[in-house]
Structures are given as structure tokens and as C-alpha cells.
Amino acid sequence: MERFHPTLDDVALKAGVSRAQASRALRGDAGVNEAKRQQVQKAAAELGYRANAAARALASNRSSIVGVMIGEPMNPYHMEMASAISDELLRRGFDPAIQLGKVGQDMGLAETERLLNLRAEGAILIGTPHDLELLQQICARLPCVYLGSDVTHLGISCVLGDDEVGARAATDYLLGLGHRRVAHITGGGGAGAGGRRAGYRAAMEAAGLPALIHEGWFDLDGGRDGVNALMARPQRPTAIFCANDRIAIGAINQLRGLGYRVPEDVSVVGFDDSLDARSESLSLTSVHQPSGDFGRDTVALLEERLRSDGKDLPATARVVPVTLVRRGSSAPPVG
Amino acid sequence: MERFHPTLDDVALKAGVSRAQASRALRGDAGVNEAKRQQVQKAAAELGYRANAAARALASNRSSIVGVMIGEPMNPYHMEMASAISDELLRRGFDPAIQLGKVGQDMGLAETERLLNLRAEGAILIGTPHDLELLQQICARLPCVYLGSDVTHLGISCVLGDDEVGARAATDYLLGLGHRRVAHITGGGGAGAGGRRAGYRAAMEAAGLPALIHEGWFDLDGGRDGVNALMARPQRPTAIFCANDRIAIGAINQLRGLGYRVPEDVSVVGFDDSLDARSESLSLTSVHQPSGDFGRDTVALLEERLRSDGKDLPATARVVPVTLVRRGSSAPPVG
DNA sequence: CTGTTAGCGCTTTCAA
DNA sequence: TTGAAAGCGCTAACAG
């Protein structure tokens, strides 16, 4: 239970330099005799010195803290993003303050308050809040980058996957396999749902086929309801493009429950390429959103805004390329 | 972008009291004239004052930070626990420092270092690390409570569900429905897997039936492989008790993919009662582990240890009662 | 009940 | 390249 923590003075004393020099040496400041730097580092290591984050923040007036608000912690893909972002923040010397959202509830002012108390330098918002009013209130108090959809029209910088291109690729792929009745279960008003709907629409239109849309929502039950509705139509689809993997998983489950085989009777394609999609159990064809790239871009964008300090940069949207990954849940139609 | 932050001096000045009194008033210390307290609070509110967490930590020598290490962020049930714990910490005035584990990788010294830098008062470990050596190293440096299985023999306090009773209840329930060939897909060496295996064994033995165990692991693919193996046996099971919901989901999916109906041909029961289990899509019968209770017990246990300060309390195990929730994935056997 | 006085452990001028 | 000195914003004795 490391109760005693050596201070910088202890290190300085042991290394035979002043506290100021010890501080510089440890932080890699220029202007320190290389030999002394070694001495200081050695002394620090021997004492098991670890800088007190609070003292450092107070003295330097820089907390290094960046809030990470996770809208849906129960959505594994959100967590994959969060994980990538957290790693990237750490790599760049920031200290992530992760906040977990509640089911069916936007994150909001309470979380922002906490970040303000911590003197967070900025925040990254993963698909939350949905409420744009709230989003603007948060962004007015803290430099933010929003992840999931384009909100530049609100003056907010963001990073998003190329939803439209991804959706179009998925739909075109199904059409290319020979499917004609390709349906789409949407993510309703969720982050990215709009672009995916548009991409699907565009692909169907280009093929001269009618769009077959069921308005759903980003969850298992969205997929289940979508399948129930779509398969009850006189003209049953032979392929379904789902707005995310969770919908796709719910859809496959329901299809199989109804006695349809996947992919023999119905092909299913998802979006996100989450860990579950990649599992053998599902082997879900899906649009891959590279979480690593999202992490890097998001942090880079935030850092840029942080560095620009006061000067209001125009809101930027970074669009991350996405790619279709073909797996076992899709095949040409039979007959 | 709230660049300016009023300090306690600003508040004190405005309220016409000393800084010390302002501090006491704001923190709810006893020994402050009630009228003055009001004044101070009013002044603070008007100025938009928010205490600087770093300064407070430095001066009081109490960070209020508690680390929360999440072993499998991509496991929604882990996140449900984490969410409950985070809420409870906040409620009790702690500041959760959430750390996300990587797939297939224990959390370890690097994360501990970070907590030590933050001068965290303690840590809560959710199902990580698996490596007991590592676990002990972490707990030697920071007051910890482990969540998921009994590790009191290592001198570490922990909170866990009543795995054995839960597993027994699930198995007895299936037996009570009339099933004779009840199989179990285990969680391998994962947290809680041992108790669940034992509970299943005990129930089968009490019924005078042979145990039908497939050693799996806590993931979708564990369920898939388990089903493939079990359904290939000459004596196919008519019911499967899975060591967690993820296994159950993989199992159901695979069963349906193979053409079996659930629950008509095979009943499936899970463990955890995660959000997904409760969804209509799955309607999974499962052993409910109340995340709220886990959160409260875990934080209470940690707080107790924190208060006891130096005096080494003996390691305690808090066992949380669990209950079976019957849903659509289980039914009496046909024929 | 209240104010004064010291720091907490670090960074950062400012001179040397 | 170095050290001395002055705080960062707050809490916690200690007197009144």
C-alpha cells in the first residue's frame, strides 16, 4: 500500500540538484546537462518517484484531462471506439476521464459539470447527446469533438465514417450478387443513420429499383421488428442491409427463429464491423469502421483546437473511409 | 469556453467572509453561521464558482479518485457493472477513473502506475486480471476490491454473485421442466465459471443424472463451439445451461443455424441477465445478477477498507444473491 | 463561529 | 545550464 510518496525535493536532494532542475530533467525540458539528467532519472527510479498529478496540474495550470463521454456503453462498438480514443489520448500525454452514459438517456450538463471541475481541457463525445440543443450547450463550455455524425452546421467539429459511401457499397454489393429486393432497416434518428439511409437510397435508385425501407433503431429489437415487418410484406426481400451490427444480429436471430436460413434464404449485411460481427458465430458481412483511425483523427482534431487556443477555428468534419468486409452472412439469392 | 474560473477568494470577497469560511460553507462543514453559509452559496452560484479538483486534492491530501478497471469493455455485462459502480462512486463523493482493458489481454502494472500517479485511493477490478500473480501485485500497491470471483485465499476482498446457487437454480429449473439431458457449456477459467460448473454438477448429481459438460469460454464462439460439440453427441441434450449470456447468445444462434428451434427443440438458459438477454429478440431465460447491488456492495467494501486505513482487515467476500428469470428461451421438452 | 497562517508538490518566471 | 523564489487554489491547524 504505497503510503509514502517521495516528492520532487527528495529526488533533487538525492541527485544533488535543485528542485527546478529535477523537474526539468524529468519532463525532458531542454536546457539540462545530459549527465545531470541521467542522475536525476536514476535517483527518481531508485526512489520510486511518481509525479503528483494534482500538484502538477495546479502549478502548470494544465490538467491534461480530456473527457470521453460514451453514449451507449452497452454497445460494444461504442466501447471499441472509446478504447481506441483512450489509447490515443494516453499516447499523446492526455489523461482520459471516461464517463458512461445510461441506457436511453442523453449525457448532459451533470457530466459537463464534472469535467469543468476537473478543469478538463476538452471532451470527446461518442454518439451523445442526441439532443442537439444539449450538444450545443456542452460544446459552448468546453472544446469538443463529436463522434458519429456531421454536426458542423452547429459549429461543432466532428469525426464520422463515410456512412453514405459505406451504405452504398453494401447495397451495391448485394445488388451485384443478384439480389433485387434489397431492404434496409434504418437506425432511426441515431448517429450516422441518415447517411446510411441516403447511401442505400442512392444505390437502389441507381439500379432502378424501389427502396424498401423499414424505420428501426440501433438495437437488437430494431432488427427483430424490422424482420417481422419486412418478411410480412407480399414481396419479401432476399437481402437486408442493416444500419448497424446490432440491428443485423437481431435480424439474423429473428430470421432464423422464423425458419429462414441465412444466407441461403436471406442475406444480411451490417455496419460497424464490431467484434461480434467478426466472430465465427455470426460471420457477419459488414461495413468496417476502423476504430484506430477514428481514435487518431478524433484526438488529432481536438488537439488542433486546443492548440489554437482562443482563435475560433471553423468547425471541421473529418470523414473516415470505410470498407465492406464480406463474410458468411451474405450470398447470391437462390433461384 | 469558460476560460476564466473564479477562485475561492473571489467567492469569499463577494460574500464578505474569509476564504476559510467560504471553504467550510461550500463543503458543508459544521461550524458556519447558517446565514453566512447562504450568502456564500449565493455568491458562489452567481460567480459560477466550481472548486478546482486538483487544488483540493493537493491541499487535503485526498484525491477522492478510485480506479475502475474494466476487463472486457466489449462485454455489455461488464459495462453494466462498471456503470453501476461508477454511479455509486459518484454518489458517495468519489471520482471514478475508468480504465478500459484490451481484448484478450490482462490489465496490469501500466494501469496501476497511472492510478498511483493520480494518487488514487483505491481500485475496483472488474474480472481482471486473470493472472493471479498480477492481481496480487496490483493489490499490494493499492487497496482493491475484485469483482467476479472469490479471491479471499489471496488475501483480497471481493464481491461475487452466488454462482453456485444460481447455476443450481438454473439447472433445477430445467430438470423441473422435465428435461433429462441437460448440458452445460462452461466459461473455462473465467471469473465465476468454477462456481457455475459446480452448481450445475451438484444439481445433476442430486437428480441422479450424468453431467454433460462442454468446456467453453465466455464468448459467442464459446457457445457456437459448444453447440456443435454437444449436438454431435449420440445423446443430444434437450436443454443447455450456459455459463453466461454471451455463450447463450452464440449457442442460440448456432442452434437456429443448424435448424433446431429454441425452445421447442432445445431450451437455453444463460447467466448474468444482461441487457441483451432482456431484449425481446432473445427473451433469454437467465440468472439475474443485480448490477445495482454489486455496485453498492463493491463500493461499500472498498470504503470500509479505506476507512480502516492502515489496520489490515481480513479479506472479505461479499456474495450477492442471484435469481433465475424465466423467459422465452426455455420450455418443457417435447415428446 | 471566524480569520490568520501555513503549507500540499509542483512549475515557472527571473536572475545569475 | 542552474538555483532561488513566487505562487497555482485550496484545506487545515491554530488562535481568537
Side-chain angles (χ1 to χ4, degrees):
Chain A
M1 292 309 131
E2 259 146 84
R3 302 200 82 54
F4 171 72
H5 291 276
T7 72
L8 198 50
D9 279 318
D10 297 323
V11 176
L13 196 67
K14 173 149 184 164
V17 299
S18 72
R19 178 167 20 132
Q21 279 307 82
S23 171
R24 293 181 187 115
L26 258 15
R27 273 175 304 126
D29 250 39
V32 178
N33 178 300
E34 196 46 40
K36 299 228 165 167
R37 186 189 300 276
Q38 305 275 333
Q39 279 174 49
V40 172
Q41 282 169 341
K42 184 157 154 288
E46 284 175 13
L47 289 172
Y49 170 78
R50 41 188 81 263
N52 182 319
R56 176 169 278 182
L58 189 57
S60 65
N61 194 28
R62 279 208 54 207
S63 68
S64 297
I65 291 174
V66 170
V68 181
M69 295 193 191
I70 306 176
E72 300 171 25
M74 265 59 122
N75 178 338
Y77 187 64
H78 275 216
M79 292 312 302
E80 206 172 314
M81 287 288 190
S83 200
I85 288 168
S86 171
D87 286 351
E88 184 65 16
L89 284 172
L90 252 11
R91 197 186 341 271
R92 302 234 204 166
F94 288 106
D95 185 15
I98 296 175
Q99 304 188 300
L100 307 179
K102 297 199 191 334
V103 175
Q105 198 181 315
D106 268 352
M107 306 201 72
L109 282 338
E111 286 80 7
T112 311
E113 293 284 301
R114 217 193 114 208
L115 293 181
L116 255 19
N117 278 352
L118 295 173
R119 298 296 186 271
E121 299 181 13
I124 291 169
L125 314 176
I126 306 182
T128 189
H130 286 114
D131 183 337
L132 299 181
E133 195 88 54
L134 205 52
L135 177 60
Q136 281 187 300
Q137 282 179 47
I138 296 172
C139 296
R141 315 187 70 180
L142 209 58
C144 287
V145 173
Y146 182 85
L147 208 73
S149 58
D150 193 337
V151 287
T152 46
H153 60 285
L154 300 172
I156 298 166
S157 283
C158 48
V159 176
L160 60 154
D162 201 335
D163 296 310
E164 201 157 335
V165 165
R168 172 112 200 208
T171 313
D172 280 342
Y173 159 69
L174 289 167
L175 293 170
L177 286 178
H179 293 278
R180 307 277 86 189
R181 295 195 301 281
V182 178
H184 177 43
I185 305 177
T186 74
R196 297 173 199 177
R197 190 189 288 104
Y200 163 80
R201 270 231 166 80
M204 293 302 277
E205 195 168 324
L209 292 168
L212 200 57
I213 290 181
H214 177 86
E215 286 296 333
W217 67 100
F218 281 141
D219 206 352
L220 296 183
D221 288 337
R224 172 196 152 98
D225 288 4
V227 161
N228 285 339
L230 290 169
M231 300 313 280
R233 298 199 184 189
Q235 290 278 59
R236 286 202 286 260
T238 62
I240 306 178
F241 164 53
C242 302
N244 81 352
D245 287 351
R246 307 253 320 146
I247 295 177
I249 293 170
I252 290 178
N253 197 59
Q254 185 64 8
L255 282 167
R256 290 190 170 152
L258 292 175
Y260 296 101
R261 290 163 305 161
V262 177
E264 292 83 353
D265 301 324
V266 185
S267 285
V268 175
V269 173
F271 207 111
D272 285 347
D273 192 29
S274 59
L275 204 62
D276 286 352
R278 303 195 283 272
S279 76
E280 284 180 48
S281 305
L282 280 164
S283 186
L284 181 65
T285 295
S286 187
V287 178
H288 179 67
Q289 301 216 71
S291 58
D293 293 350
F294 273 82
R296 272 183 294 277
D297 280 6
T298 307
V299 176
L301 193 51
L302 183 66
E303 212 170 0
E304 194 175 281
R305 305 194 83 70
L306 258 31
R307 266 200 315 269
S308 82
D309 216 45
K311 309 173 284 294
D312 289 286
L313 298 180
T316 318
R318 286 262 247 269
V319 177
V320 178
V322 299
T323 49
L324 184 72
V325 181
R326 297 161 177 73
R327 294 206 188 83
S329 68
S330 53
V334 290
Chain B
M1 294 306 129
E2 260 147 81
R3 304 200 79 54
F4 172 72
H5 291 275
T7 73
L8 198 49
D9 279 319
D10 297 324
V11 176
L13 195 69
K14 174 149 184 165
V17 299
S18 72
R19 173 157 36 115
Q21 278 307 81
S23 172
R24 294 181 188 117
L26 257 16
R27 272 175 305 128
D29 249 39
V32 178
N33 177 299
E34 196 45 39
K36 297 229 166 167
R37 186 190 298 277
Q38 306 274 335
Q39 279 175 49
V40 172
Q41 281 170 340
K42 184 157 155 288
E46 285 176 11
L47 289 172
Y49 170 78
R50 41 189 79 260
N52 182 320
R56 176 169 279 181
L58 190 58
S60 66
N61 194 28
R62 280 208 55 210
S63 68
S64 297
I65 291 174
V66 170
V68 181
M69 294 194 193
I70 306 176
E72 300 170 25
M74 265 60 120
N75 178 338
Y77 187 64
H78 275 216
M79 292 311 302
E80 206 172 314
M81 287 288 187
S83 201
I85 288 167
S86 171
D87 286 353
E88 185 65 15
L89 284 171
L90 251 12
R91 199 187 341 272
R92 302 234 203 163
F94 288 107
D95 186 15
I98 295 175
Q99 303 188 299
L100 308 179
K102 296 198 193 332
V103 175
Q105 197 181 316
D106 268 352
M107 306 202 71
L109 283 338
E111 286 80 7
T112 311
E113 292 284 299
R114 217 193 114 207
L115 293 180
L116 256 17
N117 277 352
L118 295 173
R119 298 297 186 269
E121 300 181 14
I124 292 169
L125 314 177
I126 307 183
T128 190
H130 286 114
D131 183 337
L132 299 181
E133 194 88 53
L134 204 52
L135 178 59
Q136 282 186 300
Q137 283 179 45
I138 296 173
C139 296
R141 316 188 68 179
L142 209 59
C144 287
V145 173
Y146 182 85
L147 208 75
S149 57
D150 193 337
V151 287
T152 47
H153 60 284
L154 300 173
I156 298 166
S157 284
C158 48
V159 176
L160 59 155
D162 201 334
D163 295 311
E164 200 156 339
V165 166
R168 171 112 201 206
T171 312
D172 281 341
Y173 159 69
L174 290 168
L175 292 170
L177 286 178
H179 292 278
R180 306 278 87 187
R181 297 195 299 282
V182 178
H184 176 44
I185 303 176
T186 75
R196 296 173 200 177
R197 190 190 290 105
Y200 162 79
R201 270 232 167 80
M204 293 301 277
E205 195 168 324
L209 292 168
L212 200 57
I213 291 182
H214 177 85
E215 287 296 334
W217 69 99
F218 281 141
D219 206 354
L220 296 184
D221 288 337
R224 171 197 153 97
D225 288 3
V227 161
N228 285 339
L230 290 169
M231 301 313 279
R233 298 198 184 191
Q235 290 278 59
R236 286 202 286 261
T238 62
I240 305 177
F241 164 52
C242 302
N244 82 351
D245 286 352
R246 307 247 326 141
I247 295 177
I249 294 169
I252 290 179
N253 197 57
Q254 185 64 8
L255 282 167
R256 290 190 169 151
L258 292 175
Y260 296 101
R261 289 163 306 159
V262 177
E264 292 83 352
D265 301 323
V266 184
S267 284
V268 175
V269 172
F271 206 111
D272 284 348
D273 192 29
S274 59
L275 204 63
D276 285 353
R278 303 195 282 272
S279 76
E280 285 180 48
S281 304
L282 280 164
S283 186
L284 180 66
T285 295
S286 188
V287 179
H288 179 67
Q289 302 217 72
S291 58
D293 293 350
F294 273 81
R296 271 183 295 279
D297 280 6
T298 307
V299 176
L301 193 50
L302 183 67
E303 212 170 0
E304 197 175 278
R305 305 195 83 71
L306 258 31
R307 266 200 314 268
S308 83
D309 214 43
K311 309 174 283 293
D312 289 285
L313 298 180
T316 318
R318 287 263 246 269
V319 178
V320 179
V322 299
T323 50
L324 184 73
V325 181
R326 298 162 178 71
R327 295 209 187 82
S329 67
S330 53
V334 290

